[in-house]
Amino acid sequence: MDGTRVVTVPEVDAAIPERGYLRQYVDYASEKTMAPPEFHLACGLAQMAVLLGNRVVFRLGGHYYPASLWLVLLASAGAKKSTAISLASRLLDGATE
């Protein structure tokens, strides 16, 4: 990065697995942008849901529901919401082509 210090929020860091895709993605995205890690965690979860598609379903009361995930990032203007979403989308576009 450009010398900017990334501050880790303990509660968010505890929610990220120690290893695996989410850890790798949050670490990668945090190095590439100044968006907060919680935005990258949410976007990484959304990426995983997109890649699962309708291949994973939950059965409830005789009905099957896909593993859908809706994502909303709420923050003030300039908080880097679009930055986090754009990075996740670009990487996802490359993976699904």
Side-chain angles (χ1 to χ4, degrees):
M1 293 187 48
D2 59 2
T4 303
R5 184 171 161 236
V6 176
V7 177
T8 302
V9 179
E11 295 82 16
V12 172
D13 198 49
I16 304 168
E18 291 181 22
R19 61 178 193 264
Y21 178 74
L22 283 177
R23 169 56 64 186
Q24 291 174 344
Y25 178 71
V26 172
D27 289 347
Y28 168 79
S30 294
E31 290 176 9
K32 296 290 182 189
T33 75
M34 292 177 59
E38 51 267 37
F39 289 3
H40 297 310
L41 174 60
C43 289
L45 288 167
Q47 286 176 323
M48 293 172 71
V50 168
L51 292 172
L52 287 173
N54 291 332
R55 291 185 294 268
V56 175
V57 295
F58 298 97
R59 184 172 182 233
L60 181 63
H63 298 281
Y64 294 91
Y65 299 93
S68 299
L69 176 67
W70 289 83
L71 171 68
V72 176
L73 297 179
L74 293 175
S76 60
K80 305 295 183 188
K81 299 175 298 290
S82 295
T83 301
I85 293 169
S86 294
L87 178 61
S89 296
R90 282 194 312 270
L91 292 174
L92 192 58
D93 288 344
T96 57
E97 289 179 351

